[in-house]
Amino acid sequence: MATQFIIGVMGPGESATPEENMLAFDLGKAIAKEGWITLTGGRAFGVMEAAMEGAKDNGGLTIGILPGDSDSKASPYATIKIVTGIGSARNMIAVLSSHVLVVCGMAAGTASEVALAIKADKRIIFVRPDDLTLKFFKKIGTYKVSTAHTVHETIDLIKNFLSVYG
Amino acid sequence: MATQFIIGVMGPGESATPEENMLAFDLGKAIAKEGWITLTGGRAFGVMEAAMEGAKDNGGLTIGILPGDSDSKASPYATIKIVTGIGSARNMIAVLSSHVLVVCGMAAGTASEVALAIKADKRIIFVRPDDLTLKFFKKIGTYKVSTAHTVHETIDLIKNFLSVYG
Amino acid sequence: MATQFIIGVMGPGESATPEENMLAFDLGKAIAKEGWITLTGGRAFGVMEAAMEGAKDNGGLTIGILPGDSDSKASPYATIKIVTGIGSARNMIAVLSSHVLVVCGMAAGTASEVALAIKADKRIIFVRPDDLTLKFFKKIGTYKVSTAHTVHETIDLIKNFLSVYG
Amino acid sequence: MATQFIIGVMGPGESATPEENMLAFDLGKAIAKEGWITLTGGRAFGVMEAAMEGAKDNGGLTIGILPGDSDSKASPYATIKIVTGIGSARNMIAVLSSHVLVVCGMAAGTASEVALAIKADKRIIFVRPDDLTLKFFKKIGTYKVSTAHTVHETIDLIKNFLSVYG
């Protein structure tokens, strides 16, 4: 059987804008349609929830990597709930478990995930990033950091990056 | 949608006996037939691999909670690979992510998982335990520790414990 | 400069008996008098607190490896507070950071530490263990598990084990 | 007894410039002279090692929060070696255990620490940051991010931030 690819979708939680949430929903939907798994931080708000909702509504499998020691605060759109009990250190597990990372919006938690992903030598796709964010992570991450302007472009980039896994 | 139940199967790795591996295979198979997910430590040997093989061969979903920082040492029977990068501390994540734990054989890693499960207030089923192991964990875990002698008995106990999740 | 040796003292928290707490105090005191650091789980009760109190009252340095994400629940006898934020997974850090482990009483958290210590190939000294505990851990840990009946015997064993670090 | 204050010094490892290493040495020295503990990621190169060398050479206590499962790769200037075994997830522990964070240079690991520190509501002082780094973290961290141009200014800011711990 082929590898089950896992695409991590990262972005702000409670501070996510409606536009970021809509984009995350569309990304989850597109990821599901490719047969990939959508992985997020698993909480019940923001980009995490929107991406899982888009994926689950379209028949995709979703994984939530939860910070707490129970699943009581998980999003209902997280089908598989990984209960880590290690707080924000769970960000590293979300990064390491994803074959490719897609970033939609920016906040402190998201920034820690992107930085850890660069350190772990993962490919990261920023979807419609602001200039400052892109410049900063390009500077510390060089070729590992890509940009997409549409969901379609994002999926094409993911396919390209997944091809190395044969 | 109903909760996707996750059953953790714990036991020795490289030191597992053929009997323990066969029992783990049968447990994975029975768990899959109930529609539950089989979760293990994800490595390519022992009770972990046997349980996932039994589950996967029978159409079940399997999750491997891996200790390393890549999936290069994962069992091919782990469908979803959670790459933690936190070594043996991943034992706690395996425990917290499981609704019920099934123990098949005993070794140091397994003992740490049972102890953490008792602390996390999880229900633990020992399948055909030796006397010493059972006495020790009964002493520190009291009512949280149950025993089964057959796969059938194990599944009945799991059903009973899962009923609290409504 | 010589290595700063760290001795982990493990045992029950709120369920510790007065005898266990008194023994832990005496162990912390004796560890301090040897110039070693006393390391515990850092909370404000049980064997953890008693060992650190014995050490600190006698001029010893103490380290508390705390489970929460702040030091608000630390024992006042923890001089250096390592705030892990990873819950019971911090037990592994307490084990890995100790050159030798001393166990005083038994509970679920303590059992997880002893099991992880066996897995990490550490030397463990049980002080006045009950028969069941000793038999169980001897079975899964063989030569790594020793026994002492007095504080004096414990210190002698520690010296012996530390000699490998040159 | 007064709280033992812990100052985390973060910055690049093998990619640190000679200027960054010299600044880190001077910061460690100044931290030691104030009687505070210097905490770093504990490895034997870059800003981590330089800060601990400056501290230790001037009578200060140093703590290294190590990523691996042994202390074999620790800097000789780390007096207390916390062996976490959790890889880059140890960055969160370094952040949570520090009362104030001082940042000297920028790299992916450092960026993850600053981002986690913002999320954990810690005060962060950038010493002579480049414009891009400062702008990015000011944007996601607002008032939690300060700047200093000299070691003297850094110490004054730390004193100010520590005053809240009474």
Side-chain angles (χ1 to χ4, degrees), chain C residues 52-125:
Chain C
M52 292 191 295
E53 186 178 354
K56 193 164 182 172
D57 282 1
N58 289 278
L61 187 58
T62 61
I63 303 176
I65 307 289
L66 293 158
D69 55 11
S70 86
D71 64 3
S72 62
K73 292 180 177 172
S75 163
Y77 299 104
T79 300
I80 293 176
K81 294 162 192 138
I82 302 298
V83 181
T84 70
I86 64 171
S88 290
R90 69 81 147 83
N91 291 2
M92 193 185 68
I93 298 179
V95 162
L96 293 176
S97 300
S98 299
H99 291 89
V100 175
L101 290 143
V102 178
V103 181
C104 178
M106 185 51 52
T110 314
S112 77
E113 289 170 312
V114 174
L116 289 167
I118 290 169
K119 199 153 173 59
D121 214 22
K122 295 278 178 179
R123 293 295 195 130
I124 304 137
I125 304 167

Side-chain angles (χ1 to χ4, degrees), chain A residues 1 3-4 6 37 56 61 63 65 69 71 79-86 92-93 96-97 99, chain B residues 1 3-4 6 37 56 61 63 65 69 71 79-86 92-93 96-97 99:
Chain A
M1 201 190 90
T3 301
Q4 271 284 50
I6 298 178
I37 297 169
K56 193 164 183 172
L61 187 59
I63 302 175
I65 307 289
D69 56 10
D71 64 3
T79 301
I80 294 176
K81 292 161 193 140
I82 302 298
V83 181
T84 70
I86 63 171
M92 193 184 68
I93 298 179
L96 293 176
S97 299
H99 290 89
Chain B
M1 202 191 90
T3 301
Q4 272 282 51
I6 298 178
I37 298 170
K56 193 163 184 174
L61 187 58
I63 302 176
I65 307 289
D69 55 10
D71 65 2
T79 300
I80 293 176
K81 294 161 193 139
I82 302 298
V83 181
T84 69
I86 64 170
M92 193 185 68
I93 297 179
L96 293 177
S97 300
H99 291 89

Side-chain angles (χ1 to χ4, degrees), chain A residues 10-165:
Chain A
M10 274 68 186
E14 291 168 301
S15 66
T17 64
E19 289 73 26
E20 285 161 355
N21 285 336
M22 277 188 285
L23 179 55
F25 182 95
D26 289 342
L27 285 165
K29 179 178 172 179
I31 289 166
K33 285 183 182 285
E34 295 294 332
W36 303 324
I37 297 169
T38 299
L39 179 149
T40 78
R43 299 292 300 278
F45 41 63
V47 162
M48 296 181 269
E49 172 146 294
M52 292 192 295
E53 186 178 354
K56 193 164 183 172
D57 282 1
N58 289 279
L61 187 59
T62 60
I63 302 175
I65 307 289
L66 293 158
D69 56 10
S70 86
D71 64 3
S72 62
K73 291 180 177 172
S75 163
Y77 299 103
T79 301
I80 294 176
K81 292 161 193 140
I82 302 298
V83 181
T84 70
I86 63 171
S88 291
R90 68 82 146 84
N91 292 2
M92 193 184 68
I93 298 179
V95 162
L96 293 176
S97 299
S98 300
H99 290 89
V100 176
L101 291 142
V102 179
V103 181
C104 178
M106 184 51 52
T110 314
S112 77
E113 289 170 312
V114 174
L116 289 166
I118 290 169
K119 198 155 173 59
D121 214 22
K122 297 276 178 181
R123 292 296 195 130
I124 304 137
I125 304 167
F126 285 93
V127 192
R128 294 180 209 153
D130 66 277
D131 269 8
L132 180 57
T133 292
L134 185 61
K135 267 185 199 156
F136 176 72
F137 284 113
K138 269 282 182 198
K139 191 187 163 194
I140 64 170
T142 67
Y143 72 92
K144 297 166 203 163
V145 173
S146 303
T147 323
H149 292 91
T150 64
V151 172
H152 188 80
E153 259 183 68
T154 309
I155 297 296
D156 280 352
L157 275 170
I158 296 174
K159 280 182 186 165
N160 190 21
F161 295 146
L162 290 179
S163 65
V164 302
Y165 293 100

Side-chain angles (χ1 to χ4, degrees), chain B residues 151-163:
Chain B
V151 172
H152 187 81
E153 258 182 69
T154 308
I155 297 296
D156 280 352
L157 276 169
I158 296 173
K159 279 182 188 166
N160 190 21
F161 295 146
L162 290 179
S163 65

Side-chain angles (χ1 to χ4, degrees), chain C:
Chain C
M1 200 190 91
T3 302
Q4 270 284 49
F5 289 121
I6 298 178
I7 311 302
V9 182
M10 274 69 185
E14 291 168 302
S15 66
T17 65
E19 288 74 25
E20 286 161 355
N21 286 336
M22 276 188 286
L23 179 55
F25 182 95
D26 289 342
L27 286 164
K29 179 178 170 177
I31 289 166
K33 286 183 182 285
E34 295 294 333
W36 303 325
I37 297 169
T38 299
L39 180 148
T40 78
R43 299 292 299 278
F45 41 63
V47 162
M48 295 181 269
E49 172 146 293
M52 292 191 295
E53 186 178 354
K56 193 164 182 172
D57 282 1
N58 289 278
L61 187 58
T62 61
I63 303 176
I65 307 289
L66 293 158
D69 55 11
S70 86
D71 64 3
S72 62
K73 292 180 177 172
S75 163
Y77 299 104
T79 300
I80 293 176
K81 294 162 192 138
I82 302 298
V83 181
T84 70
I86 64 171
S88 290
R90 69 81 147 83
N91 291 2
M92 193 185 68
I93 298 179
V95 162
L96 293 176
S97 300
S98 299
H99 291 89
V100 175
L101 290 143
V102 178
V103 181
C104 178
M106 185 51 52
T110 314
S112 77
E113 289 170 312
V114 174
L116 289 167
I118 290 169
K119 199 153 173 59
D121 214 22
K122 295 278 178 179
R123 293 295 195 130
I124 304 137
I125 304 167
F126 285 94
V127 191
R128 295 181 209 152
D130 66 276
D131 269 9
L132 181 56
T133 292
L134 186 61
K135 268 186 199 154
F136 176 72
F137 284 112
K138 269 281 182 198
K139 192 186 162 194
I140 63 169
T142 67
Y143 71 91
K144 297 166 204 163
V145 174
S146 303
T147 323
H149 292 91
T150 63
V151 172
H152 188 81
E153 260 183 66
T154 308
I155 297 296
D156 280 352
L157 276 170
I158 296 174
K159 280 182 186 165
N160 190 20
F161 295 146
L162 290 180
S163 65
V164 302
Y165 293 100

Side-chain angles (χ1 to χ4, degrees), chain A residues 92 111-121 136-137 140-141 144, chain D residues 9-15 41 48 87-92 94-95 101 103-117 137:
Chain A
M92 193 184 68
S112 77
E113 289 170 312
V114 174
L116 289 166
I118 290 169
K119 198 155 173 59
D121 214 22
F136 176 72
F137 284 113
I140 64 170
K144 297 166 203 163
Chain D
V9 183
M10 275 66 187
E14 291 168 302
S15 66
M48 295 181 271
S88 291
R90 69 81 147 84
N91 292 3
M92 193 185 67
V95 162
L101 290 142
V103 180
C104 178
M106 185 49 54
T110 314
S112 77
E113 289 171 311
V114 174
L116 290 166
F137 284 112

Side-chain angles (χ1 to χ4, degrees), chain D residues 6-155:
Chain D
I6 298 179
I7 310 303
V9 183
M10 275 66 187
E14 291 168 302
S15 66
T17 64
E19 287 73 25
E20 285 161 355
N21 285 336
M22 276 187 285
L23 179 56
F25 182 94
D26 289 342
L27 285 164
K29 179 178 170 176
I31 290 166
K33 285 182 182 286
E34 295 295 331
W36 303 325
I37 298 170
T38 299
L39 179 150
T40 78
R43 299 291 300 278
F45 42 63
V47 161
M48 295 181 271
E49 172 144 295
M52 293 191 295
E53 186 178 353
K56 193 165 182 170
D57 282 1
N58 289 278
L61 187 58
T62 61
I63 302 176
I65 307 289
L66 293 159
D69 55 11
S70 86
D71 65 2
S72 62
K73 291 180 177 171
S75 162
Y77 299 103
T79 300
I80 294 177
K81 293 161 192 139
I82 302 299
V83 181
T84 70
I86 63 170
S88 291
R90 69 81 147 84
N91 292 3
M92 193 185 67
I93 298 178
V95 162
L96 293 176
S97 300
S98 299
H99 291 88
V100 175
L101 290 142
V102 178
V103 180
C104 178
M106 185 49 54
T110 314
S112 77
E113 289 171 311
V114 174
L116 290 166
I118 291 169
K119 199 155 172 59
D121 214 22
K122 295 277 179 180
R123 292 295 194 131
I124 305 137
I125 304 167
F126 285 93
V127 191
R128 294 180 210 154
D130 66 276
D131 268 9
L132 181 56
T133 292
L134 185 62
K135 268 185 199 156
F136 177 72
F137 284 112
K138 268 281 182 197
K139 191 186 162 193
I140 65 169
T142 66
Y143 72 92
K144 298 166 203 163
V145 174
S146 303
T147 322
H149 292 92
T150 64
V151 172
H152 188 80
E153 259 184 68
T154 309
I155 297 296

